[in-house]
Structure formats: C-alpha cells, structure tokens
Amino acid sequence: MATEGLVPITRDYLARYYDKYPLAPLPDGVTALAERLRALSADLAAVSRLSPDEELLEQEACGVPAPKMDENMWKNREQMEEILFLLNKSRRPIALQQKSTPEDADIVSTLDNVETKMKDMLKKLEQFQLKNADNVFNIVMTYMPQDFRGTLIRQQRERSERNKQAEVDAVVSAGGSIRDRYALLWKQQMDRRVQLAQLGSATGVYKTLVRYLVGVPQVLLDFIRQINDANGPMEVQRERYGPALYTLTKLVLAIRLYLHISLAQYGQKKIDKDDIAALEQAVVIYTEEFGKFTTFIGEVFVNAPFFISAKDAGADSRKSEEYQEAIIPAGKTHEVILSVEAVNSYIAWDFSMPQGALSTLMDIGFHVEYVSPSGEKTLILPYRRYEANQGNFCTVFAGSYKLVWDNSYSTFFKKAGSRRLRRRTLMGALWLEIARSEGIRSCVPLFFWLFDCCEAPLFVTIMFHVFDDPW
C-alpha cells in the first residue's frame, strides 16, 4: 500500500488540528454548584450515618475523575441512569408519593422536572454514542474489499454484539446493579482497547494480513499501537477537552450524591426550599452544558485526522499500485502459476485490455485450471475472450493453479494488458498456524479474531477509538 504523502499522527499533528476547535469555557458557577451540593450532602451525612454504598458514592463524588475521556462519557451515562432510578415515582419517599403537604407537592414538581431533563439527556447521549459507532464502522468498511470479506465482517460484528449483550443481560438477570452493568460495559471497552493496541503492534505475517484485510496505512497502525500510552497522541485530546468533561462528571456525581442522601433521609429532614432550588439549577446547567459538549466533541471527531476515509488514507492507491502490465506477443500465451498449500485459499484476478489502434477494442483469451501434484489438469474457469474481467474463487484442493492469458489467435497484434492478482488464505491451517505463532486464541480462525478487534470506537478508520461505541 502506498503511504506517500501521509502524515504520521503525532501529538503535534493533532494539536495543530485541535487549534481549529477551541472549546468554549463552562459557566463560572459550575464548580461552585458542585461544591455546594457536596456540602449539603456532608451536612446530611453528619446527622445520620452513611451506609457502605453511600460512603463509596461520597468518595467518588469527592474524588478525581478518571483521565480517559471515553470513560468519563460512560461515567456520566451511568450517573444519569442512577439518578433516574432514584427519581422513579415508586421509589420516592411516601410523603412525596402522597404529596402530603404543599411543600411536598412543590418538591415533587421540581423532581419531575429533574427527571424529564435527565431522561432527555440520557437519550441524547445514547444516540450520540450509537451514531459515532455507526460512523466509525461505516468508514472502516470503506477499506474492505466489496466481496464476501465485507459480508463476513458485518456478520461477525453482529455476532459479537449479540455475545456482549448476552453478557450484560446475564449480569442484570443475576440481580446486578446499574454500577455492575456499567463496570462490565467498561471492561468490554477496555478489552477492545487492548486488542486494538495489539493490532497496531502486529509483526511479521500477521501484520501483513492486517494490512491486507483492513487496508490500513502504517501511520495509522503506529497510531493505534500507542492508544493506551499515557503520553501518546490521544493525550493531546485529554489536555484540550478533558478538564471541561471532568468538571461535568464531578457535577453529575454531586447531583446524584445529594439526591441519594436527601431522599433517603426525607422522613427525618425535609428538603429546604433553597436547597431544592440549588439542585434544580445544577441539573439545568449540567444538562445544557453536557448537551453542548457532546455536540461540540462530535463535530471535532467527525473531522479529526484520525477519522478519515479510505481514499484520504491512501487505501484507494491499491488499485494503481498492484496492477502489473504484461505484453503478450501475437501467437503466444502468458501464464501465471500460483502454488497453494492449503485449501480454502482465496484467488482473485482483475485485468483489462487497452484500446487498440483506430479506437478498436482489443480482447484476450483467458482461462483458469488446477494442476494436481501428479500433473493432472482440471478446468476451473472455461476459456473465453475478454476485454476486461474480474473474478475470484476459494480453492478446494492444495496444489498449483494456472491462470492463462491467450493471444495465440492473433496473427499481427501483440497485446499489452494490466493485471492484478491476489492469493490469500482466509481460513484453514494457515489461520491457525499464524494464530498460534502470535499467541492468539488458536481455536478460533484468525480472520474472526481480527475483526473482533476492529468492531469498534473509535476513532480512526481502523482506530475505532474503541469500538462499538467510541464514547
């Protein structure tokens, strides 16, 4: 694959791109609101001892958010679900369910507004993640040959999605909490991240297969190899946009912490009017600013240099680079013999004839035959004359396959044609041999292992930042 003109994806390269997308600062009161909600929670905690789960939540709300931006996106989604769980009408204190006093009715109205805003934001975040995942996958598919391999990739992605969803369903069926479910979702994300880095670090025959099947330029492979590095290229993204996201993460954690403790102690101490107003203000600012952030970051990533098309990355150059010209004199033939050591190998050809003198169309005879070790010949593709032809097949025998271009019927004209050939083993012994040598799951064909890695979001063409859902 030609990589001429491609720029290595480095920290400096990404920094120059991010200069074009400055992020507007958050409102001044965001941090103060989070601090106030944490202080209110601490006052309530001083009245009644916290449970172990509440202590864990308090530690998280007062702690430092995780550095990875995608982990913060998932953490925000988790907190939204936890807040909606708390606000479910059947789980509210009895006094609020019955609206025992006018004050209770006012608090219920505020909580209903909070619930509506959180539901809307959660839905937008889910759509944001799904859209990014689909965008990544569709861009990745532009690298795929438009034949059975692309179909296999789609089928494998669907199969893998079902398997991962089955894992999540099993946690829920076993009585797992929202926290347990998101812990599993993040683990699945990190597993993809590790596999993606392994893909970028591929060497030898395995690396060749990765580049052939996926069509990824070396500069992108180098980029995904560093995806987990603390000081890798993605650190620039965290430095630019991370602080705002971390602040929003701390705010939503503070909102959940206050809601959890105040509702749990509602029978002992009702919520003050000023306190519920602070809660409502925090939710309004949080949902507005988080919505702005997802819209902004979506635009940044769609146009980012690691989120590029196959044409921009140089994949389309395979057409011109891999064609070879063969001159076949009048009355002669041209043969290419491909030795195949394993069954289920993939042989493909693509050739065309130039326009002749006086704009006449020229053709060439072509056929394919199998030659067994004993020398016996079997016709695979019958003889026919073509101006151009593309074809492929999977082999059913080991041995030699002969592709023959025939110009013997021509008396005067030599023929110059451009051809491209491919011979790749897609299944069978070679896959398992390579899988074992690379330490991969040897019981699974490498083809399927490879595209388990490439489901995802992220970010690049093949660097799907992670995955099924880049965020």
Side-chain angles (χ1 to χ4, degrees):
M1 172 181 300
T3 57
E4 182 180 356
L6 295 185
V7 181
I9 304 174
T10 62
R11 289 177 57 122
D12 291 341
Y13 182 62
L14 287 176
R16 290 194 296 272
Y17 168 75
Y18 291 136
D19 286 340
K20 305 174 186 177
Y21 291 88
L23 176 63
L26 295 174
D28 294 335
V30 173
T31 300
L33 275 172
E35 291 175 349
R36 180 176 179 184
L37 290 178
R38 287 194 295 271
L40 291 173
S41 300
D43 292 342
L44 291 171
V47 176
S48 179
R49 183 178 178 83
L50 298 179
S51 69
D53 287 344
E54 290 171 338
E55 289 180 350
L56 182 63
L57 175 58
E58 183 182 40
Q59 291 173 8
E60 189 173 21
C62 297
V64 178
K68 291 184 174 63
M69 291 185 63
D70 47 330
E71 186 173 1
N72 275 268
M73 297 296 281
W74 281 99
K75 178 59 67 175
N76 278 265
R77 181 169 163 177
E78 176 187 349
Q79 301 312 307
M80 291 178 202
E81 284 204 34
E82 292 281 13
I83 289 170
L84 291 174
F85 180 83
L86 290 171
L87 293 177
N88 186 290
K89 291 179 174 56
S90 64
R91 297 186 178 89
R92 295 179 186 180
I94 298 298
L96 294 180
Q97 293 184 38
Q98 297 175 348
K99 300 180 183 179
S100 304
T101 66
E103 291 80 7
D104 291 334
D106 290 341
I107 291 174
V108 168
S109 177
T110 299
L111 295 181
D112 287 345
N113 291 337
V114 169
E115 184 179 26
T116 298
K117 288 185 178 298
M118 283 295 178
K119 280 183 178 178
D120 290 344
M121 191 63 251
L122 177 61
K123 184 177 180 180
K124 290 177 182 177
L125 178 54
E126 290 171 343
Q127 292 174 342
F128 169 82
Q129 292 180 318
L130 288 173
K131 181 180 178 181
N132 278 1
D134 288 341
N135 285 343
V136 170
F137 183 74
N138 290 334
I139 287 181
V140 170
M141 289 303 296
T142 66
Y143 283 95
M144 300 300 112
Q146 301 304 304
D147 54 23
F148 72 93
R149 286 168 290 182
T151 301
L152 285 175
I153 295 165
R154 293 184 184 278
Q155 292 174 347
Q156 169 61 8
R157 183 177 189 244
E158 293 170 0
R159 183 184 68 83
S160 182
E161 282 296 302
R162 290 194 297 269
N163 290 342
K164 287 180 172 60
Q165 184 59 49
E167 292 179 348
V168 175
D169 292 343
V171 169
V172 174
S173 299
S177 63
I178 293 174
R179 185 183 187 90
D180 294 334
R181 179 158 53 87
Y182 275 90
L184 174 59
L185 288 169
W186 180 243
K187 179 181 180 299
Q188 291 175 344
Q189 293 287 71
M190 288 307 296
D191 288 344
R192 297 186 187 102
R193 181 79 67 85
V194 170
Q195 289 179 331
L196 195 59
Q198 290 175 344
L199 187 149
S201 301
T203 58
V205 177
Y206 180 59
K207 179 177 179 179
T208 301
L209 286 170
V210 169
R211 296 187 66 187
Y212 163 68
L213 286 171
V214 187
V216 183
Q218 184 61 47
V219 292
L220 296 187
L221 289 176
D222 292 340
F223 182 54
I224 64 175
R225 175 173 50 81
Q226 304 172 62
I227 185 175
N228 293 325
D229 293 355
N231 294 313
M234 296 307 296
E235 181 65 21
V236 180
Q237 176 199 100
R238 291 189 283 269
E239 291 173 353
R240 294 292 181 95
Y241 308 128
L245 181 56
Y246 305 152
T247 300
L248 292 172
T249 301
K250 290 181 71 67
L251 179 58
V252 74
L253 280 165
I255 291 170
R256 180 192 163 197
L257 176 65
Y258 176 70
L259 266 174
H260 185 101
I261 298 178
S262 62
L263 292 177
Q265 298 185 13
Y266 195 80
Q268 302 169 266
K269 184 181 186 303
K270 291 193 175 183
I271 304 175
D272 292 338
K273 187 176 181 179
D274 290 343
D275 296 347
I276 196 69
L279 172 68
E280 186 173 28
Q281 183 185 11
V283 170
V284 168
I285 291 179
Y286 170 74
T287 52
E288 287 180 354
E289 294 303 319
F290 194 83
K292 292 177 184 177
F293 182 84
T294 54
T295 299
F296 169 82
I297 214 71
E299 181 181 354
V300 171
F301 290 152
V302 164
N303 298 308
F306 44 64
F307 207 41
I308 56 182
S309 69
K311 181 177 180 180
D312 294 336
D316 282 2
S317 65
R318 287 176 292 185
K319 290 185 178 180
S320 60
E321 181 184 62
E322 296 179 3
Y323 278 103
Q324 298 178 0
E325 184 175 275
I327 298 176
I328 309 173
K332 301 294 183 179
T333 62
H334 176 72
E335 298 179 354
V336 173
I337 298 177
L338 302 176
S339 296
V340 174
E341 298 179 359
V343 299
N344 292 322
S345 291
Y346 172 78
I347 293 179
W349 61 88
D350 181 1
F351 67 87
S352 62
M353 303 300 297
Q355 198 173 55
L358 302 177
S359 297
T360 58
L361 293 176
M362 305 183 73
D363 60 16
I364 192 79
F366 179 70
H367 71 277
V368 180
E369 58 188 29
Y370 166 72
V371 184
S372 70
S374 64
E376 182 179 355
K377 297 181 180 181
T378 302
L379 192 61
I380 301 296
L381 180 72
Y383 177 90
R384 183 179 168 186
R385 287 162 63 169
Y386 301 92
E387 296 167 3
N389 184 251
Q390 291 179 326
N392 63 76
F393 66 92
C394 280
T395 63
V396 294
F397 303 108
S400 298
Y401 288 82
K402 184 187 295 185
L403 290 78
V404 182
W405 287 265
D406 178 22
N407 194 30
S408 61
Y409 59 86
S410 179
T411 305
F412 302 105
F413 296 105
K414 66 180 180 181
K415 304 290 177 64
S418 297
R419 64 171 174 81
R420 178 177 60 175
L421 302 177
R422 278 183 175 169
R423 174 191 56 197
R424 307 290 183 188
T425 301
L426 295 178
M427 293 172 283
L430 179 58
W431 289 110
L432 298 180
E433 177 184 344
I434 297 170
R436 293 189 185 101
S437 67
E438 295 293 335
I440 309 305
R441 297 173 290 186
S442 59
C443 60
V444 181
L446 179 60
F447 183 77
F448 294 112
W449 180 89
L450 173 61
F451 291 105
D452 259 337
C453 296
C454 302
E455 296 171 321
L458 159 112
F459 286 130
V460 286
T461 308
I462 178 119
M463 193 229 124
F464 334 76
H465 180 63
V466 243
F467 347 103
D468 306 306
D469 7 39
W471 286 95

